[in-house]
Amino acid sequence: QVQLVESGGGVVQPGGSLRLSCEASGFAFDHYAMKWVRQAPGKDLEWISSIYSGGEIRKAADSVRGRFIISRDNSKNILFLQMRNLKPEDTGTYYCARGGPITASNSDYRGQGTRVTVSS
């Protein structure tokens, strides 16, 4: 079955960096576009960034463009999110996901999430 397992979250000061990973299994990873979405406390799920199956096309939300970079290693079935210049408003639970419109938060499958806290 499809499994998505995120890791790499933690507590970081404003201006800091984190790199999230998502290990995928149970499907042909290199055949699917993937995305990152997040949910801040008390808010709806928010689409962050997407990458097409071959990694040649990437899209990012305005809120993270220029600070977050999505990438993938199809040889290892891993999706990444490099986050720089983190802000308190980036706090939330981050999920990797498969399916749904490329720039929308809905998906067919989503991992259990990894928590990111940006605080001084």
Side-chain angles (χ1 to χ4, degrees):
Q1 70 277 23
V2 173
Q3 286 196 314
L4 301 168
V5 181
E6 302 92 338
S7 61
V11 180
V12 62
Q13 292 187 341
S17 299
L18 280 175
R19 189 193 197 200
L20 306 184
S21 299
C22 170
E23 295 187 33
S25 61
F27 65 102
F29 181 73
D30 59 352
H31 288 188
Y32 289 87
M34 298 293 295
K35 66 177 81 172
W36 287 96
V37 299
R38 71 183 178 190
Q39 189 164 30
K43 295 191 176 181
D44 292 335
L45 209 57
E46 175 191 12
W47 169 74
I48 294 301
S49 189
S50 297
I51 186 168
Y52 281 61
S53 59
E56 69 283 5
I57 299 175
R58 311 176 194 194
K59 297 182 182 293
D62 289 345
S63 59
V64 304
R65 190 174 298 125
R67 300 188 298 122
F68 292 10
I69 298 175
I70 190 172
S71 63
R72 64 192 297 160
D73 184 339
N74 283 346
S75 69
K76 298 180 180 178
N77 293 356
I78 302 178
L79 179 72
F80 300 102
L81 185 68
Q82 177 68 53
M83 306 187 294
R84 295 187 174 91
N85 190 21
L86 283 159
K87 304 175 181 180
E89 53 264 41
D90 294 319
T91 293
T93 300
Y94 285 68
Y95 303 90
C96 70
R98 194 199 91 177
I102 199 69
T103 58
S105 61
N106 52 306
S107 62
D108 297 327
Y109 296 94
R110 200 171 76 209
Q112 84 290 345
T114 186
R115 180 129 182 101
V116 172
T117 301
V118 184
S119 174
S120 55

mmCIF file of all heavy atoms in Angstrom, residues 5-57:
data_model
loop_
_atom_site.group_PDB
_atom_site.id
_atom_site.type_symbol
_atom_site.label_atom_id
_atom_site.label_comp_id
_atom_site.label_asym_id
_atom_site.label_seq_id
_atom_site.Cartn_x
_atom_site.Cartn_y
_atom_site.Cartn_z
ATOM 1 N N VAL A 5 6.300 8.725 4.661
ATOM 2 C CA VAL A 5 6.798 8.922 6.016
ATOM 3 C C VAL A 5 7.721 10.138 6.048
ATOM 4 O O VAL A 5 8.826 10.106 5.505
ATOM 5 C CB VAL A 5 7.550 7.679 6.537
ATOM 6 C CG1 VAL A 5 8.041 7.922 7.958
ATOM 7 C CG2 VAL A 5 6.654 6.447 6.477
ATOM 8 N N GLU A 6 7.249 11.187 6.705
ATOM 9 C CA GLU A 6 8.009 12.429 6.801
ATOM 10 C C GLU A 6 8.949 12.409 8.010
ATOM 11 O O GLU A 6 8.672 11.752 9.018
ATOM 12 C CB GLU A 6 7.082 13.642 6.936
ATOM 13 C CG GLU A 6 6.086 13.821 5.811
ATOM 14 C CD GLU A 6 4.747 13.147 6.104
ATOM 15 O OE1 GLU A 6 4.714 12.225 6.934
ATOM 16 O OE2 GLU A 6 3.742 13.563 5.488
ATOM 17 N N SER A 7 10.021 13.181 7.892
ATOM 18 C CA SER A 7 10.954 13.355 9.004
ATOM 19 C C SER A 7 11.691 14.674 8.805
ATOM 20 O O SER A 7 11.609 15.289 7.738
ATOM 21 C CB SER A 7 11.951 12.194 9.070
ATOM 22 O OG SER A 7 12.724 12.129 7.888
ATOM 23 N N GLY A 8 12.392 15.095 9.855
ATOM 24 C CA GLY A 8 13.217 16.292 9.746
ATOM 25 C C GLY A 8 12.685 17.526 10.440
ATOM 26 O O GLY A 8 13.353 18.558 10.474
ATOM 27 N N GLY A 9 11.484 17.446 10.961
ATOM 28 C CA GLY A 9 10.935 18.596 11.664
ATOM 29 C C GLY A 9 11.657 18.852 12.972
ATOM 30 O O GLY A 9 12.487 18.060 13.421
ATOM 31 N N GLY A 10 11.339 19.975 13.601
ATOM 32 C CA GLY A 10 11.954 20.314 14.866
ATOM 33 C C GLY A 10 11.681 21.754 15.233
ATOM 34 O O GLY A 10 10.827 22.416 14.635
ATOM 35 N N VAL A 11 12.413 22.219 16.228
ATOM 36 C CA VAL A 11 12.288 23.594 16.700
ATOM 37 C C VAL A 11 13.488 24.389 16.185
ATOM 38 O O VAL A 11 14.637 23.949 16.328
ATOM 39 C CB VAL A 11 12.226 23.650 18.231
ATOM 40 C CG1 VAL A 11 12.108 25.099 18.691
ATOM 41 C CG2 VAL A 11 11.066 22.813 18.752
ATOM 42 N N VAL A 12 13.223 25.546 15.600
ATOM 43 C CA VAL A 12 14.286 26.360 15.027
ATOM 44 C C VAL A 12 13.976 27.831 15.281
ATOM 45 O O VAL A 12 12.805 28.216 15.380
ATOM 46 C CB VAL A 12 14.433 26.059 13.515
ATOM 47 C CG1 VAL A 12 13.172 26.419 12.765
ATOM 48 C CG2 VAL A 12 15.656 26.729 12.926
ATOM 49 N N GLN A 13 15.010 28.625 15.387
ATOM 50 C CA GLN A 13 14.824 30.066 15.589
ATOM 51 C C GLN A 13 14.472 30.746 14.273
ATOM 52 O O GLN A 13 14.833 30.249 13.195
ATOM 53 C CB GLN A 13 16.095 30.674 16.171
ATOM 54 C CG GLN A 13 16.399 30.233 17.588
ATOM 55 C CD GLN A 13 17.571 30.990 18.190
ATOM 56 O OE1 GLN A 13 18.378 31.581 17.475
ATOM 57 N NE2 GLN A 13 17.668 30.981 19.509
ATOM 58 N N PRO A 14 13.815 31.877 14.330
ATOM 59 C CA PRO A 14 13.548 32.639 13.099
ATOM 60 C C PRO A 14 14.844 32.906 12.339
ATOM 61 O O PRO A 14 15.877 33.225 12.935
ATOM 62 C CB PRO A 14 12.931 33.943 13.618
ATOM 63 C CG PRO A 14 12.285 33.540 14.908
ATOM 64 C CD PRO A 14 13.193 32.508 15.507
ATOM 65 N N GLY A 15 14.775 32.741 11.026
ATOM 66 C CA GLY A 15 15.960 32.895 10.197
ATOM 67 C C GLY A 15 16.729 31.603 9.992
ATOM 68 O O GLY A 15 17.650 31.547 9.160
ATOM 69 N N GLY A 16 16.353 30.570 10.727
ATOM 70 C CA GLY A 16 17.040 29.293 10.624
ATOM 71 C C GLY A 16 16.584 28.463 9.443
ATOM 72 O O GLY A 16 15.737 28.885 8.639
ATOM 73 N N SER A 17 17.146 27.259 9.368
ATOM 74 C CA SER A 17 16.865 26.356 8.249
ATOM 75 C C SER A 17 16.533 24.964 8.757
ATOM 76 O O SER A 17 16.967 24.558 9.841
ATOM 77 C CB SER A 17 18.083 26.263 7.325
ATOM 78 O OG SER A 17 18.426 27.516 6.776
ATOM 79 N N LEU A 18 15.767 24.248 7.961
ATOM 80 C CA LEU A 18 15.474 22.835 8.199
ATOM 81 C C LEU A 18 15.338 22.152 6.855
ATOM 82 O O LEU A 18 14.952 22.788 5.860
ATOM 83 C CB LEU A 18 14.168 22.651 8.978
ATOM 84 C CG LEU A 18 14.162 22.849 10.488
ATOM 85 C CD1 LEU A 18 12.732 22.736 11.009
ATOM 86 C CD2 LEU A 18 15.052 21.853 11.193
ATOM 87 N N ARG A 19 15.616 20.857 6.845
ATOM 88 C CA ARG A 19 15.395 20.062 5.646
ATOM 89 C C ARG A 19 14.482 18.899 5.996
ATOM 90 O O ARG A 19 14.826 18.061 6.828
ATOM 91 C CB ARG A 19 16.716 19.521 5.093
ATOM 92 C CG ARG A 19 16.567 18.862 3.727
ATOM 93 C CD ARG A 19 17.809 18.078 3.386
ATOM 94 N NE ARG A 19 17.884 17.763 1.953
ATOM 95 C CZ ARG A 19 18.635 16.781 1.469
ATOM 96 N NH1 ARG A 19 19.368 16.037 2.274
ATOM 97 N NH2 ARG A 19 18.673 16.562 0.170
ATOM 98 N N LEU A 20 13.330 18.890 5.371
ATOM 99 C CA LEU A 20 12.372 17.808 5.574
ATOM 100 C C LEU A 20 12.570 16.731 4.518
ATOM 101 O O LEU A 20 12.932 17.022 3.377
ATOM 102 C CB LEU A 20 10.944 18.333 5.497
ATOM 103 C CG LEU A 20 10.589 19.510 6.413
ATOM 104 C CD1 LEU A 20 9.097 19.829 6.276
ATOM 105 C CD2 LEU A 20 10.945 19.221 7.847
ATOM 106 N N SER A 21 12.312 15.491 4.922
ATOM 107 C CA SER A 21 12.382 14.353 4.000
ATOM 108 C C SER A 21 11.078 13.577 4.055
ATOM 109 O O SER A 21 10.391 13.577 5.083
ATOM 110 C CB SER A 21 13.536 13.418 4.374
ATOM 111 O OG SER A 21 14.774 14.080 4.313
ATOM 112 N N CYS A 22 10.772 12.910 2.976
ATOM 113 C CA CYS A 22 9.592 12.052 2.913
ATOM 114 C C CYS A 22 9.975 10.795 2.153
ATOM 115 O O CYS A 22 10.293 10.863 0.961
ATOM 116 C CB CYS A 22 8.447 12.769 2.226
ATOM 117 S SG CYS A 22 7.026 11.709 1.847
ATOM 118 N N GLU A 23 9.959 9.679 2.846
ATOM 119 C CA GLU A 23 10.266 8.395 2.205
ATOM 120 C C GLU A 23 8.973 7.771 1.699
ATOM 121 O O GLU A 23 8.022 7.591 2.465
ATOM 122 C CB GLU A 23 10.957 7.478 3.195
ATOM 123 C CG GLU A 23 12.322 7.990 3.643
ATOM 124 C CD GLU A 23 13.071 6.979 4.493
ATOM 125 O OE1 GLU A 23 12.916 5.780 4.262
ATOM 126 O OE2 GLU A 23 13.822 7.412 5.385
ATOM 127 N N ALA A 24 8.965 7.457 0.418
ATOM 128 C CA ALA A 24 7.764 6.919 -0.213
ATOM 129 C C ALA A 24 7.944 5.434 -0.533
ATOM 130 O O ALA A 24 9.038 4.991 -0.883
ATOM 131 C CB ALA A 24 7.465 7.685 -1.491
ATOM 132 N N SER A 25 6.863 4.688 -0.414
ATOM 133 C CA SER A 25 6.893 3.276 -0.765
ATOM 134 C C SER A 25 5.501 2.827 -1.175
ATOM 135 O O SER A 25 4.513 3.510 -0.901
ATOM 136 C CB SER A 25 7.404 2.440 0.414
ATOM 137 O OG SER A 25 6.559 2.579 1.532
ATOM 138 N N GLY A 26 5.441 1.671 -1.845
ATOM 139 C CA GLY A 26 4.157 1.092 -2.215
ATOM 140 C C GLY A 26 3.612 1.551 -3.551
ATOM 141 O O GLY A 26 2.490 1.178 -3.921
ATOM 142 N N PHE A 27 4.359 2.368 -4.265
ATOM 143 C CA PHE A 27 3.926 2.816 -5.581
ATOM 144 C C PHE A 27 5.159 3.251 -6.385
ATOM 145 O O PHE A 27 6.252 3.399 -5.842
ATOM 146 C CB PHE A 27 2.918 3.961 -5.480
ATOM 147 C CG PHE A 27 3.464 5.246 -4.898
ATOM 148 C CD1 PHE A 27 3.792 6.317 -5.721
ATOM 149 C CD2 PHE A 27 3.646 5.393 -3.530
ATOM 150 C CE1 PHE A 27 4.280 7.508 -5.196
ATOM 151 C CE2 PHE A 27 4.134 6.561 -2.984
ATOM 152 C CZ PHE A 27 4.459 7.630 -3.819
ATOM 153 N N ALA A 28 4.953 3.452 -7.681
ATOM 154 C CA ALA A 28 6.050 3.861 -8.564
ATOM 155 C C ALA A 28 6.301 5.357 -8.396
ATOM 156 O O ALA A 28 5.709 6.196 -9.088
ATOM 157 C CB ALA A 28 5.693 3.533 -10.004
ATOM 158 N N PHE A 29 7.161 5.668 -7.461
ATOM 159 C CA PHE A 29 7.404 7.064 -7.052
ATOM 160 C C PHE A 29 7.729 7.954 -8.245
ATOM 161 O O PHE A 29 7.239 9.086 -8.329
ATOM 162 C CB PHE A 29 8.545 7.080 -6.034
ATOM 163 C CG PHE A 29 8.903 8.426 -5.503
ATOM 164 C CD1 PHE A 29 8.062 9.077 -4.610
ATOM 165 C CD2 PHE A 29 10.101 9.036 -5.854
ATOM 166 C CE1 PHE A 29 8.401 10.325 -4.093
ATOM 167 C CE2 PHE A 29 10.455 10.272 -5.346
ATOM 168 C CZ PHE A 29 9.598 10.925 -4.457
ATOM 169 N N ASP A 30 8.551 7.453 -9.165
ATOM 170 C CA ASP A 30 9.004 8.291 -10.281
ATOM 171 C C ASP A 30 7.934 8.507 -11.338
ATOM 172 O O ASP A 30 8.184 9.190 -12.338
ATOM 173 C CB ASP A 30 10.277 7.727 -10.904
ATOM 174 C CG ASP A 30 10.104 6.303 -11.431
ATOM 175 O OD1 ASP A 30 9.040 5.696 -11.177
ATOM 176 O OD2 ASP A 30 11.032 5.803 -12.076
ATOM 177 N N HIS A 31 6.725 7.976 -11.102
ATOM 178 C CA HIS A 31 5.630 8.197 -12.033
ATOM 179 C C HIS A 31 4.687 9.317 -11.571
ATOM 180 O O HIS A 31 3.781 9.689 -12.307
ATOM 181 C CB HIS A 31 4.798 6.923 -12.211
ATOM 182 C CG HIS A 31 5.491 5.856 -13.003
ATOM 183 N ND1 HIS A 31 4.855 4.704 -13.419
ATOM 184 C CD2 HIS A 31 6.760 5.759 -13.460
ATOM 185 C CE1 HIS A 31 5.698 3.945 -14.091
ATOM 186 N NE2 HIS A 31 6.866 4.558 -14.122
ATOM 187 N N TYR A 32 4.906 9.822 -10.368
ATOM 188 C CA TYR A 32 3.943 10.743 -9.780
ATOM 189 C C TYR A 32 4.543 12.091 -9.408
ATOM 190 O O TYR A 32 5.655 12.155 -8.865
ATOM 191 C CB TYR A 32 3.340 10.137 -8.514
ATOM 192 C CG TYR A 32 2.413 8.989 -8.776
ATOM 193 C CD1 TYR A 32 2.901 7.688 -8.886
ATOM 194 C CD2 TYR A 32 1.038 9.189 -8.931
ATOM 195 C CE1 TYR A 32 2.053 6.630 -9.142
ATOM 196 C CE2 TYR A 32 0.186 8.127 -9.178
ATOM 197 C CZ TYR A 32 0.705 6.855 -9.279
ATOM 198 O OH TYR A 32 -0.144 5.802 -9.527
ATOM 199 N N ALA A 33 3.781 13.144 -9.669
ATOM 200 C CA ALA A 33 4.101 14.428 -9.066
ATOM 201 C C ALA A 33 3.847 14.313 -7.565
ATOM 202 O O ALA A 33 2.990 13.547 -7.125
ATOM 203 C CB ALA A 33 3.224 15.527 -9.665
ATOM 204 N N MET A 34 4.611 15.074 -6.791
ATOM 205 C CA MET A 34 4.478 15.061 -5.336
ATOM 206 C C MET A 34 4.378 16.495 -4.834
ATOM 207 O O MET A 34 4.780 17.437 -5.515
ATOM 208 C CB MET A 34 5.681 14.362 -4.694
ATOM 209 C CG MET A 34 5.859 12.905 -5.073
ATOM 210 S SD MET A 34 4.542 11.835 -4.450
ATOM 211 C CE MET A 34 4.801 11.962 -2.679
ATOM 212 N N LYS A 35 3.897 16.639 -3.635
ATOM 213 C CA LYS A 35 3.738 17.979 -3.078
ATOM 214 C C LYS A 35 3.983 17.977 -1.574
ATOM 215 O O LYS A 35 3.974 16.932 -0.934
ATOM 216 C CB LYS A 35 2.332 18.511 -3.371
ATOM 217 C CG LYS A 35 1.225 17.745 -2.675
ATOM 218 C CD LYS A 35 -0.148 18.365 -2.951
ATOM 219 C CE LYS A 35 -0.698 17.956 -4.279
ATOM 220 N NZ LYS A 35 -2.104 18.410 -4.466
ATOM 221 N N TRP A 36 4.219 19.158 -1.065
ATOM 222 C CA TRP A 36 4.241 19.403 0.380
ATOM 223 C C TRP A 36 3.067 20.326 0.706
ATOM 224 O O TRP A 36 2.828 21.310 -0.003
ATOM 225 C CB TRP A 36 5.536 20.063 0.810
ATOM 226 C CG TRP A 36 6.730 19.160 0.811
ATOM 227 C CD1 TRP A 36 7.654 19.024 -0.180
ATOM 228 C CD2 TRP A 36 7.133 18.266 1.864
ATOM 229 N NE1 TRP A 36 8.603 18.094 0.184
ATOM 230 C CE2 TRP A 36 8.322 17.621 1.434
ATOM 231 C CE3 TRP A 36 6.629 17.948 3.132
ATOM 232 C CZ2 TRP A 36 8.988 16.676 2.209
ATOM 233 C CZ3 TRP A 36 7.298 17.021 3.900
ATOM 234 C CH2 TRP A 36 8.463 16.391 3.448
ATOM 235 N N VAL A 37 2.389 19.999 1.786
ATOM 236 C CA VAL A 37 1.342 20.850 2.318
ATOM 237 C C VAL A 37 1.609 21.015 3.806
ATOM 238 O O VAL A 37 2.358 20.238 4.406
ATOM 239 C CB VAL A 37 -0.062 20.244 2.069
ATOM 240 C CG1 VAL A 37 -0.321 20.097 0.574
ATOM 241 C CG2 VAL A 37 -0.225 18.914 2.771
ATOM 242 N N ARG A 38 1.015 22.017 4.408
ATOM 243 C CA ARG A 38 1.210 22.214 5.846
ATOM 244 C C ARG A 38 -0.088 22.686 6.484
ATOM 245 O O ARG A 38 -0.979 23.219 5.816
ATOM 246 C CB ARG A 38 2.319 23.235 6.114
ATOM 247 C CG ARG A 38 1.962 24.680 5.769
ATOM 248 C CD ARG A 38 3.146 25.599 5.989
ATOM 249 N NE ARG A 38 2.831 26.976 5.607
ATOM 250 C CZ ARG A 38 3.728 27.950 5.516
ATOM 251 N NH1 ARG A 38 5.017 27.698 5.769
ATOM 252 N NH2 ARG A 38 3.361 29.167 5.152
ATOM 253 N N GLN A 39 -0.141 22.510 7.782
ATOM 254 C CA GLN A 39 -1.295 22.983 8.547
ATOM 255 C C GLN A 39 -0.811 23.683 9.797
ATOM 256 O O GLN A 39 -0.200 23.046 10.672
ATOM 257 C CB GLN A 39 -2.227 21.831 8.910
ATOM 258 C CG GLN A 39 -3.534 22.276 9.516
ATOM 259 C CD GLN A 39 -4.569 21.178 9.499
ATOM 260 O OE1 GLN A 39 -4.264 20.003 9.555
ATOM 261 N NE2 GLN A 39 -5.841 21.580 9.418
ATOM 262 N N ALA A 40 -1.053 24.975 9.849
ATOM 263 C CA ALA A 40 -0.726 25.753 11.036
ATOM 264 C C ALA A 40 -1.796 25.501 12.088
ATOM 265 O O ALA A 40 -2.943 25.163 11.759
ATOM 266 C CB ALA A 40 -0.647 27.230 10.690
ATOM 267 N N PRO A 41 -1.447 25.685 13.363
ATOM 268 C CA PRO A 41 -2.436 25.464 14.422
ATOM 269 C C PRO A 41 -3.701 26.285 14.195
ATOM 270 O O PRO A 41 -3.638 27.503 13.991
ATOM 271 C CB PRO A 41 -1.695 25.918 15.681
ATOM 272 C CG PRO A 41 -0.254 25.736 15.351
ATOM 273 C CD PRO A 41 -0.129 26.050 13.897
ATOM 274 N N GLY A 42 -4.834 25.628 14.187
ATOM 275 C CA GLY A 42 -6.100 26.314 14.045
ATOM 276 C C GLY A 42 -6.450 26.782 12.651
ATOM 277 O O GLY A 42 -7.444 27.487 12.449
ATOM 278 N N LYS A 43 -5.637 26.383 11.658
ATOM 279 C CA LYS A 43 -5.877 26.837 10.286
ATOM 280 C C LYS A 43 -6.080 25.648 9.350
ATOM 281 O O LYS A 43 -5.822 24.508 9.702
ATOM 282 C CB LYS A 43 -4.710 27.698 9.815
ATOM 283 C CG LYS A 43 -4.556 28.995 10.597
ATOM 284 C CD LYS A 43 -3.566 29.927 9.934
ATOM 285 C CE LYS A 43 -3.494 31.253 10.661
ATOM 286 N NZ LYS A 43 -2.554 32.191 10.016
ATOM 287 N N ASP A 44 -6.543 25.973 8.160
ATOM 288 C CA ASP A 44 -6.764 24.942 7.155
ATOM 289 C C ASP A 44 -5.437 24.461 6.558
ATOM 290 O O ASP A 44 -4.406 25.131 6.664
ATOM 291 C CB ASP A 44 -7.640 25.484 6.024
ATOM 292 C CG ASP A 44 -9.064 25.760 6.480
ATOM 293 O OD1 ASP A 44 -9.507 25.129 7.464
ATOM 294 O OD2 ASP A 44 -9.734 26.600 5.839
ATOM 295 N N LEU A 45 -5.514 23.335 5.905
ATOM 296 C CA LEU A 45 -4.366 22.818 5.188
ATOM 297 C C LEU A 45 -3.975 23.785 4.071
ATOM 298 O O LEU A 45 -4.846 24.335 3.376
ATOM 299 C CB LEU A 45 -4.743 21.459 4.601
ATOM 300 C CG LEU A 45 -3.671 20.403 4.400
ATOM 301 C CD1 LEU A 45 -2.941 20.086 5.697
ATOM 302 C CD2 LEU A 45 -4.302 19.132 3.819
ATOM 303 N N GLU A 46 -2.684 24.010 3.898
ATOM 304 C CA GLU A 46 -2.180 24.970 2.918
ATOM 305 C C GLU A 46 -1.182 24.289 1.991
ATOM 306 O O GLU A 46 -0.227 23.652 2.448
ATOM 307 C CB GLU A 46 -1.486 26.138 3.638
ATOM 308 C CG GLU A 46 -0.818 27.149 2.721
ATOM 309 C CD GLU A 46 0.072 28.138 3.475
ATOM 310 O OE1 GLU A 46 0.344 27.911 4.674
ATOM 311 O OE2 GLU A 46 0.505 29.141 2.861
ATOM 312 N N TRP A 47 -1.390 24.442 0.689
ATOM 313 C CA TRP A 47 -0.415 23.920 -0.271
ATOM 314 C C TRP A 47 0.859 24.761 -0.215
ATOM 315 O O TRP A 47 0.791 25.995 -0.171
ATOM 316 C CB TRP A 47 -0.993 23.946 -1.684
ATOM 317 C CG TRP A 47 0.044 23.679 -2.729
ATOM 318 C CD1 TRP A 47 0.615 22.470 -3.026
ATOM 319 C CD2 TRP A 47 0.648 24.633 -3.609
ATOM 320 N NE1 TRP A 47 1.533 22.616 -4.042
ATOM 321 C CE2 TRP A 47 1.578 23.930 -4.414
ATOM 322 C CE3 TRP A 47 0.508 25.998 -3.784
ATOM 323 C CZ2 TRP A 47 2.351 24.565 -5.390
ATOM 324 C CZ3 TRP A 47 1.279 26.638 -4.756
ATOM 325 C CH2 TRP A 47 2.189 25.908 -5.538
ATOM 326 N N ILE A 48 2.029 24.087 -0.252
ATOM 327 C CA ILE A 48 3.315 24.762 -0.159
ATOM 328 C C ILE A 48 4.076 24.699 -1.472
ATOM 329 O O ILE A 48 4.486 25.706 -2.026
ATOM 330 C CB ILE A 48 4.171 24.128 0.952
ATOM 331 C CG1 ILE A 48 3.535 24.367 2.305
ATOM 332 C CG2 ILE A 48 5.597 24.712 0.947
ATOM 333 C CD1 ILE A 48 3.354 25.824 2.637
ATOM 334 N N SER A 49 4.288 23.493 -1.974
ATOM 335 C CA SER A 49 5.135 23.346 -3.156
ATOM 336 C C SER A 49 4.910 21.984 -3.789
ATOM 337 O O SER A 49 4.547 21.030 -3.097
ATOM 338 C CB SER A 49 6.612 23.501 -2.758
ATOM 339 O OG SER A 49 7.444 23.571 -3.895
ATOM 340 N N SER A 50 5.108 21.924 -5.103
ATOM 341 C CA SER A 50 4.946 20.683 -5.847
ATOM 342 C C SER A 50 6.107 20.482 -6.809
ATOM 343 O O SER A 50 6.740 21.457 -7.237
ATOM 344 C CB SER A 50 3.645 20.699 -6.657
ATOM 345 O OG SER A 50 2.528 20.780 -5.824
ATOM 346 N N ILE A 51 6.334 19.228 -7.157
ATOM 347 C CA ILE A 51 7.378 18.889 -8.117
ATOM 348 C C ILE A 51 6.854 17.778 -9.016
ATOM 349 O O ILE A 51 6.223 16.830 -8.546
ATOM 350 C CB ILE A 51 8.681 18.471 -7.390
ATOM 351 C CG1 ILE A 51 9.818 18.256 -8.380
ATOM 352 C CG2 ILE A 51 8.469 17.257 -6.507
ATOM 353 C CD1 ILE A 51 11.188 18.142 -7.686
ATOM 354 N N TYR A 52 7.072 17.933 -10.316
ATOM 355 C CA TYR A 52 6.604 16.934 -11.253
ATOM 356 C C TYR A 52 7.451 15.669 -11.139
ATOM 357 O O TYR A 52 8.516 15.666 -10.514
ATOM 358 C CB TYR A 52 6.631 17.509 -12.672
ATOM 359 C CG TYR A 52 5.445 18.420 -12.941
ATOM 360 C CD1 TYR A 52 5.235 19.577 -12.203
ATOM 361 C CD2 TYR A 52 4.520 18.114 -13.934
ATOM 362 C CE1 TYR A 52 4.151 20.407 -12.445
ATOM 363 C CE2 TYR A 52 3.438 18.931 -14.188
ATOM 364 C CZ TYR A 52 3.258 20.075 -13.440
ATOM 365 O OH TYR A 52 2.187 20.886 -13.681
ATOM 366 N N SER A 53 6.980 14.611 -11.786
ATOM 367 C CA SER A 53 7.560 13.287 -11.577
ATOM 368 C C SER A 53 9.055 13.220 -11.877
ATOM 369 O O SER A 53 9.810 12.565 -11.162
ATOM 370 C CB SER A 53 6.819 12.245 -12.427
ATOM 371 O OG SER A 53 6.890 12.590 -13.811
ATOM 372 N N GLY A 54 9.501 13.914 -12.913
ATOM 373 C CA GLY A 54 10.915 13.891 -13.281
ATOM 374 C C GLY A 54 11.749 14.949 -12.583
ATOM 375 O O GLY A 54 12.966 15.004 -12.752
ATOM 376 N N GLY A 55 11.099 15.804 -11.822
ATOM 377 C CA GLY A 55 11.792 16.858 -11.093
ATOM 378 C C GLY A 55 12.104 18.087 -11.914
ATOM 379 O O GLY A 55 12.721 19.032 -11.420
ATOM 380 N N GLU A 56 11.625 18.111 -13.160
ATOM 381 C CA GLU A 56 11.998 19.214 -14.046
ATOM 382 C C GLU A 56 11.136 20.456 -13.845
ATOM 383 O O GLU A 56 11.538 21.555 -14.220
ATOM 384 C CB GLU A 56 11.910 18.748 -15.507
ATOM 385 C CG GLU A 56 10.513 18.481 -16.018
ATOM 386 C CD GLU A 56 9.917 17.168 -15.551
ATOM 387 O OE1 GLU A 56 10.543 16.472 -14.734
ATOM 388 O OE2 GLU A 56 8.806 16.838 -16.009
ATOM 389 N N ILE A 57 9.983 20.314 -13.272
ATOM 390 C CA ILE A 57 9.085 21.446 -13.049
ATOM 391 C C ILE A 57 8.721 21.482 -11.572
ATOM 392 O O ILE A 57 8.330 20.475 -10.992
ATOM 393 C CB ILE A 57 7.812 21.332 -13.903
ATOM 394 C CG1 ILE A 57 8.180 21.328 -15.395
ATOM 395 C CG2 ILE A 57 6.869 22.493 -13.596
ATOM 396 C CD1 ILE A 57 6.994 21.099 -16.300
#
